[in-house]
């Protein structure tokens, strides 16, 4: 796959034709976002720093969008006025600390032979958090850059000092029986520091009847979860991961927790079902994640809610 700093106009056209939406790691901006005024310079610093403080990503200056979908390449900018050097200078002088590894790709337009658009590739930064021109710290959330909470700033500043675990649940309908669906529980570490001792708890909607639970252990007793204003009966499952019995969770590697089948019978009723997960690892405040499983009568789709840290 081509790197963004190798893209040409045809690669941008492909994103548009494929209706590639904006995401945590992709953002479309019109070319007039590069105007030479203080408000636009501040917006540039905000958006670039948000990517560096989060998972990294790509900013494309020169694409019109609607409802987060790309519509078309716009007229671009005159590269003798909005130069690559000017954009580099805006980024470097308006973000503290300076972000290493940013690449700017200047792409010529066939429809406007003089004009260009810019693709800015921002890596996830090991020196985060980075402060924008307005002296705030930003992160990517959904499709925008938003100010970080105080605890998030602390977490990001510990990126090289402690593990930073993220959890996702993947649903597959490739179970052995057509009446069941499977889940895979995936941990990933966004920090360079390995997670060597980790405990995972799952509070699963009791209406989800499991047929196989893999390596998880079920707790005895009655449990409830509170979500979307509802109190729902739940079952608790847990798994401890610690060296040397288990490998440490390393940076950049997706770690499958279950290491075996986790299967559920499809519910009788359409609707929403819930899982709350709590992840604890040494040196970091516990983190809680929420998941909504939406059953339409045929398939089970999962949606991840916003996570938060305790303490």
């Amino acid at each position: 796959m081509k790197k963004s700093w190798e893209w040409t106009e045809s690669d941008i056209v492909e994103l548009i034709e494929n209706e590639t939406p904006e995401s945590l790691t992709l953002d479309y901006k019109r070319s007039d976002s590069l105007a030479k005024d203080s408000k636009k310079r501040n917006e540039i610093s905000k958006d670039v720093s948000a990517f560096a403080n989060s998972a990294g990503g790509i900013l494309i200056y020169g694409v019109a969008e609607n409802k987060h979908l790309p519509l078309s390449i716009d007229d671009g900018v005159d590269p003798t006025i909005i130069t690559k050097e000017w954009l580099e200078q805006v980024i470097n002088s308006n973000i503290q600390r300076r972000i290493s590894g940013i690449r700017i790709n200047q792409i010529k337009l066939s429809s406007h032979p003089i004009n260009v658009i810019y693709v800015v590739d921002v890596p996830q930064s090991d020196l985060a958090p980075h402060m924008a021109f307005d002296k705030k710290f930003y992160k990517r959330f959904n499709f925008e850059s938003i100010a970080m909470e105080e605890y998030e700033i602390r977490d990001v500043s510990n990126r090289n000092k402690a593990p930073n675990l993220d959890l996702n649940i993947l649903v597959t309908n490739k179970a052995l029986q057509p009446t069941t669906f499977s889940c895979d529980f995936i941990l990933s570490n966004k920090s360079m520091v390995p997670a060597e001792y980790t405990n995972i708890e799952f509070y699963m909607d009791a209406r989800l009847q499991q047929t196989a639970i893999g390596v998880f252990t079920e707790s005895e007793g009655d449990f409830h979860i509170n979500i979307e204003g509802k109190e729902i009966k739940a079952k608790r499952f847990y798994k401890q991961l610690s060296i040397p019995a288990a490998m440490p969770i390393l940076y950049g590697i997706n770690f499958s927790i279950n290491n075996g089948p986790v299967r559920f019978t499809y519910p009788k009723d359409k609707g929403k079902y819930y899982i709350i997960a709590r992840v604890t690892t040494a040196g970091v405040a516990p983190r809680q994640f929420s998941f909504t499983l939406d059953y339409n009568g045929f398939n089970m789709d999962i949606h991840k809610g916003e996570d938060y840290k305790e303490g």
Side-chain angles (χ1 to χ4, degrees), residues 45-89:
S45 73
K46 171 182 170 180
D47 293 329
V48 172
S49 63
F51 275 124
N53 289 335
S54 302
I58 298 169
L59 278 157
I60 303 177
Y61 290 98
V63 172
E65 57 86 17
N66 182 44
K67 295 182 179 179
H68 311 298
L69 293 176
L71 295 179
S72 62
I73 298 174
D74 62 22
D75 293 341
V77 295
D78 185 337
T80 65
I81 299 174
I82 303 297
T83 66
K84 182 177 179 180
E85 291 72 23
W86 174 84
L87 183 51
E88 288 176 341
Q89 190 272 335

Side-chain angles (χ1 to χ4, degrees), residues 268-304:
K268 294 181 180 179
D269 300 322
K270 299 178 183 178
K272 294 180 179 180
Y273 300 83
Y274 305 95
I275 296 177
I276 298 292
R278 189 171 183 265
V279 178
T280 307
T281 191
V284 181
R287 171 166 280 164
Q288 182 166 297
F289 303 85
S290 64
F291 300 89
T292 301
L293 287 76
D294 196 350
Y295 180 54
N296 63 9
F298 299 96
N299 293 304
M300 185 73 80
D301 295 320
I302 193 161
H303 308 281
K304 183 178 179 181

Side-chain angles (χ1 to χ4, degrees), residues 126-138:
D126 292 332
L127 297 177
H130 297 273
M131 185 175 67
F133 181 76
D134 61 2
K135 300 189 183 302
K136 293 182 180 180
F137 297 89
Y138 292 90

Side-chain angles (χ1 to χ4, degrees), residues 202-270:
F202 293 101
Y203 293 86
M204 300 182 182
D205 195 319
R207 295 173 297 169
L208 296 173
Q209 298 297 317
Q210 74 277 3
T211 60
I213 203 62
V215 296
F216 293 107
T217 300
E218 183 175 358
S219 299
E220 296 183 359
D222 295 326
F223 302 92
H224 293 82
I225 55 178
N226 291 290
I227 190 167
E228 296 185 357
K230 306 172 186 176
E231 185 175 276
I232 297 170
K233 187 176 180 181
K235 298 179 182 179
R236 178 182 181 270
F237 300 88
Y238 66 91
K239 173 66 179 175
Q240 293 180 334
L241 302 170
S242 60
I243 59 172
M247 288 287 292
I249 304 168
L250 304 176
Y251 171 75
I253 296 177
N254 290 331
F255 183 88
S256 177
I257 303 169
N258 39 297
N259 192 29
V262 177
R263 296 195 181 101
F264 299 88
T265 302
Y266 273 108
K268 294 181 180 179
D269 300 322
K270 299 178 183 178

Side-chain angles (χ1 to χ4, degrees), residues 95-109:
I95 299 174
Q96 303 298 328
R97 300 175 235 174
R98 180 175 292 191
I99 303 168
S100 299
I102 291 177
R103 295 182 184 237
I104 300 176
N105 181 9
Q106 185 184 82
I107 297 178
K108 294 181 179 180
L109 299 180

Side-chain angles (χ1 to χ4, degrees), residues 143-160:
F143 305 103
E144 59 183 341
S145 302
I146 66 171
M148 300 170 70
E149 300 288 345
E150 186 274 336
Y151 77 88
E152 293 174 316
I153 297 172
R154 283 190 284 113
D155 286 347
V156 171
S157 67
N158 287 330
R159 190 171 280 171
N160 275 338

